[in-house]
Amino acid sequence: MDLAGYRVYRRVKGTSAWTKLATTTKRTYTDAPPTTGQTFYYEVRAYDKAGNESAGSSDQGPVTTYDDTAPTAPVLTATGVEASNNLSWTASADAVTYRIFRKRDTATSYTELAETTATAYTDTTATYGKAYDYKVSAVDAAGNAGASAVVRTARTITPPSNVVATTPSWGAVFTWTEPAGGDTADYEVYRSETSPVSISSATLTDCRSRKVRTDEAGNTIRSCTDYDGDQGRTYHYVMVRKNTAGLWSTGSQQLTVTRPGDEIPPPNVTGLTAEPLEYGVKLDWDDSTAADLAKYEVYEQPTQWDTPEYVGVVDAGTSEYVVGPDRADGEATRYVVVAYDIYGNSRIYADSNDPDIDPWSQPLSTVAVTELDLTPTAIPEDTAPCSLLTYTAVGHHGGMYIDCADSVPTEAAGINVYRWDPATSTYVRVTDVPLKPTATNYTDTTIPTGTTVYYVLSVVAADGSETFSNVDASVSLPSGA
């Protein structure tokens, strides 16, 4: 009288474990067993309102089902080596055979390669270096098949391994370990703005500064630097290598790096002035406001139509530069000062990627100046059989080379050196005693510092008369410079 209902149970033939299928107050139940080809038994148990359950009815069955359930899909792994593509996969519990399918990565349909009861296969018919897609189907006794995921690989030598990238301000630096055997003949680095990297469409970089070293463990380590690409942009890279047999590998593990910095050049310097000196020109400008400033470069541009020529560099934190030592001869010229940041950006290279744009056509900071003119107002006639070539000797002394005709050592009484004195507009002799006619050089230890000095030689004849050489200048730096 306290009957609450019935519980329906099912078990697989050959097992003792019952699975509860349903609870009902009716005396009928329709089951839709899984179509796995298994055989099942059933029993019914009554239970009361207190939850007590009776013993099971006599087993009913066996009931055999139709098998249309595919085996568990294998997990496929594919590895390309030089001689073959090697496949392996996990076993499926109810599979009786496995079918291997292959297609080129550019194809649309698969071809069955083989059927096997093993869980591995070696494909030696794949063309070296070409990418192939593989899949494996596990097939049960009823013909049901479960396919693995598609795996792509290619026959290849060992690609670069342990590849790492660092991004200093000047580029992307790649370092990788040489595979065992050390048979690398060449390697290439590909760059792409999209991921994954497709070597067929990626940019082949000009990876320079290639180096080879040996680490503490004895491994050969290679490195190179991609100096190109935009600062502040994210790029994806892969590397391939060629061995001494001429075979190229597949790509290495992809690396993704973001170049530091930006592509924004520092602003033009302001307040640029030029002060003519007796030994050159002093340039001065305002400190740049750029937080990432690295340096200034100074160029000379005689006229606005000339291409500027590099003169020197000034580190950040300094905003003046002395052009010289340079003779003060009244030349009119122009100077350009360009600011560079730590990423190499500057106004002259802001549009350098456009071949139709002259980098020097950009608005730049320039200053015009006319040098002081300390050239002698009187130039003696050059009739002496000797000539001079001046230079600035160690210690800021005025030096000169003397080049005379073969007749001078035997026919002349000596050689005098004269220096132009701007204060008196005359040449003053600086040699108390004439030099020997065999002299080939002379150093003026009394030269004024921080100025331009002009010299002339005189060849003293036996009768005391003098003939004069060309005039040449020597520039001395200030004391302590």
Side-chain angles (χ1 to χ4, degrees):
M1 295 302 295
D2 62 349
L3 177 69
Y6 304 94
R7 293 171 181 157
V8 183
Y9 289 84
R10 183 184 69 203
R11 67 177 175 86
V12 177
K13 180 181 179 181
T15 69
S16 59
W18 291 94
T19 300
K20 184 170 70 174
L21 299 178
T23 298
T24 181
T25 59
K26 298 179 180 180
R27 289 185 293 164
T28 62
Y29 174 76
T30 301
D31 180 33
T35 53
T36 58
Q38 294 173 302
T39 298
F40 298 98
Y41 286 95
Y42 294 86
E43 73 176 25
V44 176
R45 303 172 191 173
Y47 69 97
D48 61 20
K49 294 177 181 179
N52 301 307
E53 187 178 79
S54 72
S57 65
S58 60
D59 292 357
Q60 299 297 307
V63 177
T64 301
T65 63
Y66 177 74
D67 186 2
D68 61 1
T69 301
T72 304
V75 179
L76 174 63
T77 300
T79 303
V81 297
E82 183 174 340
S84 61
N85 287 330
N86 298 334
L87 312 180
S88 62
W89 55 91
T90 57
S92 299
D94 54 346
V96 295
T97 188
Y98 300 94
R99 295 173 183 157
I100 300 99
F101 297 88
R102 182 188 78 183
K103 75 174 183 67
R104 276 293 311 278
D105 60 332
T106 55
T108 58
S109 60
Y110 285 86
T111 300
E112 183 176 343
L113 286 181
E115 185 170 343
T116 179
T117 57
T119 55
Y121 181 77
T122 300
D123 180 13
T124 59
T125 63
T127 303
Y128 183 88
K130 302 297 183 182
Y132 290 86
D133 291 333
Y134 292 91
K135 62 182 179 179
V136 172
S137 289
V139 184
D140 63 17
N144 300 305
S148 70
V150 175
V151 177
R152 179 171 296 177
T153 192
R155 286 175 54 188
T156 181
I157 59 172
T158 304
S161 60
N162 302 323
V163 183
V164 296
T166 57
T167 52
S169 62
W170 58 85
V173 180
F174 302 96
T175 304
W176 58 280
T177 304
E178 172 82 349
D183 60 345
T184 297
D186 194 9
Y187 61 92
E188 293 178 344
V189 179
Y190 289 86
R191 180 183 66 232
S192 174
E193 294 186 32
T194 58
S195 177
V197 177
S198 172
I199 292 178
S200 61
S201 59
T203 299
L204 174 60
T205 70
D206 181 14
C207 208
R208 306 188 296 276
S209 300
R210 298 191 172 204
K211 299 177 182 178
V212 181
R213 64 179 177 85
T214 302
D215 65 11
E216 295 180 354
N219 299 309
T220 298
I221 309 298
R222 296 180 180 269
S223 65
C224 69
T225 302
D226 175 20
Y227 293 97
D228 303 318
D230 294 338
Q231 302 289 349
R233 190 179 295 274
T234 297
Y235 292 105
H236 311 280
Y237 292 88
V238 295
M239 301 180 67
V240 295
R241 62 177 282 268
K242 181 173 72 173
N243 67 7
T244 53
L247 299 176
W248 284 95
S249 75
T250 54
S252 66
Q253 181 180 357
Q254 179 176 297
L255 293 95
T256 298
V257 301
T258 299
R259 295 284 301 276
D262 53 50
E263 294 288 314
I264 303 172
N268 285 330
V269 300
T270 59
L272 178 60
T273 61
E275 176 189 356
L277 306 172
E278 292 187 8
Y279 59 92
V281 175
K282 180 181 179 181
L283 303 176
D284 200 351
W285 58 90
D286 299 332
D287 290 335
S288 174
T289 58
D292 56 358
L293 184 73
K295 62 179 180 178
Y296 307 94
E297 287 189 355
V298 180
Y299 298 83
E300 185 174 9
Q301 185 184 28
T303 72
Q304 61 180 341
W305 299 279
D306 294 319
T307 299
E309 295 185 359
Y310 174 80
V311 173
V313 64
V314 180
D315 291 335
T318 303
S319 55
E320 66 177 39
Y321 182 82
V322 175
V323 181
D326 194 13
R327 64 180 63 185
D329 55 6
E331 179 185 23
T333 189
R334 293 157 48 95
Y335 291 97
V336 183
V337 176
V338 181
Y340 286 76
D341 65 20
I342 59 176
Y343 307 109
N345 299 311
S346 75
R347 290 291 171 181
I348 61 174
Y349 293 115
D351 295 299
S352 61
N353 290 331
D354 188 339
D356 296 327
I357 296 180
D358 177 6
W360 292 104
S361 67
Q362 313 303 309
L364 299 171
S365 297
T366 62
V367 63
V369 63
T370 299
E371 300 172 352
L372 299 178
D373 191 355
L374 300 181
T375 56
T377 56
I379 304 293
E381 184 179 1
D382 182 4
T383 58
C386 293
S387 63
L388 66 89
L389 176 65
T390 61
Y391 62 92
T392 299
V394 176
H396 308 297
H397 297 150
M400 65 192 70
Y401 297 109
I402 301 173
D403 184 19
C404 296
D406 293 341
S407 60
V408 171
T410 57
E411 298 178 3
I415 299 173
N416 282 319
V417 179
Y418 290 85
R419 185 175 69 211
W420 176 256
D421 182 5
T424 62
S425 298
T426 60
Y427 289 95
V428 178
R429 196 173 76 182
V430 295
T431 48
D432 295 333
V433 177
L435 303 176
K436 294 180 180 180
T438 56
T440 58
N441 60 78
Y442 174 74
T443 300
D444 179 12
T445 60
T446 65
I447 185 174
T449 58
T451 189
T452 301
V453 176
Y454 289 83
Y455 294 96
V456 66
L457 298 178
S458 77
V459 177
V460 183
D463 61 3
S465 62
E466 294 178 290
T467 54
F468 294 90
S469 72
N470 64 300
V471 175
D472 200 9
S474 181
V475 182
S476 65
L477 295 172
S479 297

